[in-house]
């Protein structure tokens, strides 16, 4: 399963702000700053806890808009 995420780093706390069903996009605020992949690592950790499944960034490593994939175990 793939979906879009729009990230706003450097916020007070990490949280999901909204979800748009039409575009399949989550808007998230992350506490981590976008330095040396810190925000990407926090994003992965946050989404793993939220969905209780492994996730990975498919594209957008250096962008605020990313494509995320939920990995399903066989």
């Amino acid at each position: 399963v793939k979906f879009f995420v729009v990230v706003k780093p450097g916020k007070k706390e990490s949280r999901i702000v909204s979800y748009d069903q039409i575009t399949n996009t989550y808007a998230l605020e992350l506490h981590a700053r976008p330095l040396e992949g810190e925000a990407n690592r926090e994003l992965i950790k946050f989404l793993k806890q939220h969905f209780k499944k492994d996730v990975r960034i498919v594209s957008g490593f250096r962008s605020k808009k990313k494509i995320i994939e939920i990995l399903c175990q066989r």
Side-chain angles (χ1 to χ4, degrees), residues 2-5 7 40 43-44 56-69:
K2 293 181 183 176
F3 56 92
F4 293 100
V5 171
V7 177
N40 285 339
L43 173 65
I44 293 298
R56 72 180 183 107
I57 299 173
V58 176
S59 92
F61 292 95
R62 303 186 107 204
S63 173
K64 290 184 180 184
K65 187 168 186 178
K66 303 172 186 302
I67 299 174
I68 305 293
E69 180 179 30

Side-chain angles (χ1 to χ4, degrees), residues 32-45:
R33 301 192 52 171
L35 300 173
E36 300 177 5
E38 199 175 308
N40 285 339
R41 285 190 295 276
E42 184 172 330
L43 173 65
I44 293 298
K45 183 179 174 183

Side-chain angles (χ1 to χ4, degrees), residues 2-6 18-27 65-66:
K2 293 181 183 176
F3 56 92
F4 293 100
V5 171
V6 177
S18 65
Y19 174 69
D20 184 348
Q21 288 183 336
I22 296 169
T23 61
N24 196 26
T25 303
Y26 284 88
K65 187 168 186 178
K66 303 172 186 302

Side-chain angles (χ1 to χ4, degrees), residues 10-23:
K11 298 295 181 180
K12 186 176 180 181
E13 64 179 351
S14 297
R15 66 188 184 106
I16 296 175
V17 178
S18 65
Y19 174 69
D20 184 348
Q21 288 183 336
I22 296 169
T23 61

